[in-house]
Amino acid sequence: MPAVLIVYYSKTGHTEEMAKAVEEGVKSEGLDVVRKKVNRTSLKDLLKADGVILGSPTYYGTMAAEMKAFLDRSVQYHGKLEGKVGAAFSSGGGLGGGVETTVLDMVKALLIHGMVIQGDPRGSHYGTVSIGKPNAAAQKECKRLGEKVARLIKRLRVS
Ligand SMILES: Cc1cc2nc3c(=O)[nH]c(=O)nc-3n(C[C@H](O)[C@H](O)[C@H](O)COP(=O)(O)O)c2cc1C
């Protein structure tokens, strides 16, 4: 059973690069991780994971339609994902273009599923955001997101 499922949509590769760095962060904490494009993700994958991290480009200030459609279909498991750890990240075209609202829109859906979301007092507060091709700093933040999710899962497991 994978501890963490990373589900993402990416048309031109930026969000995919972020997803790979998030995956690296999870792995560095010693947890199993599966990274899947949203169109290859089955809803059952959500049930199997202890943590779900969503990634999408910012499209008109929110997530791509593919990710929204996936979340809408996830109503099938409404109530069954409670207590899992959730997080989100987004790639946008420019500052002020809605990267944070995109992350928050994904986080809202995860909260509605009853998931536990950890904020970040440093860096991207709601989930990692990046503009264009992720630079070294953005990659580092993505990795940190993966690490934080993995650490939270470990803490919840022992309590
Ligand atoms: C249909 C469409 C809508 C977009 N809308 C926004 C937007 O509202 N704000 C923004 O900052 N960037 C916007 N962008 C730019 C993408 O978010 C940006 O290029 C992102 O890095 C693409 O990620 P990807 O390489 O993973 O596909 C839009 C791009 C497309 C194709």
Side-chain angles (χ1 to χ4, degrees), residues 21-42:
V22 174
E23 180 183 21
E24 221 184 288
V26 175
K27 279 187 182 158
S28 74
E29 286 291 323
L31 292 195
D32 290 337
V33 55
V34 172
R35 177 174 54 82
K36 285 189 172 183
K37 291 185 175 163
V38 70
N39 62 340
R40 300 209 175 145
T41 309
S42 114

Side-chain angles (χ1 to χ4, degrees), residues 5-10 16 20 34-46 48 55 66-67 69-70 73:
L5 172 70
I6 301 169
V7 185
Y8 68 98
Y9 175 77
S10 183
E16 183 161 61
K20 286 178 180 169
V34 172
R35 177 174 54 82
K36 285 189 172 183
K37 291 185 175 163
V38 70
N39 62 340
R40 300 209 175 145
T41 309
S42 114
L43 289 173
K44 280 195 179 140
D45 293 332
L46 293 171
K48 295 181 208 151
E66 287 79 355
M67 183 60 72
F70 177 74
R73 286 198 306 276

Side-chain angles (χ1 to χ4, degrees), residues 9-16 57-61 91-94 97-99 132:
Y9 175 77
S10 183
K11 197 175 164 101
T12 56
H14 300 154
T15 313
E16 183 161 61
T58 292
Y59 280 3
Y60 288 92
S91 169
V99 272

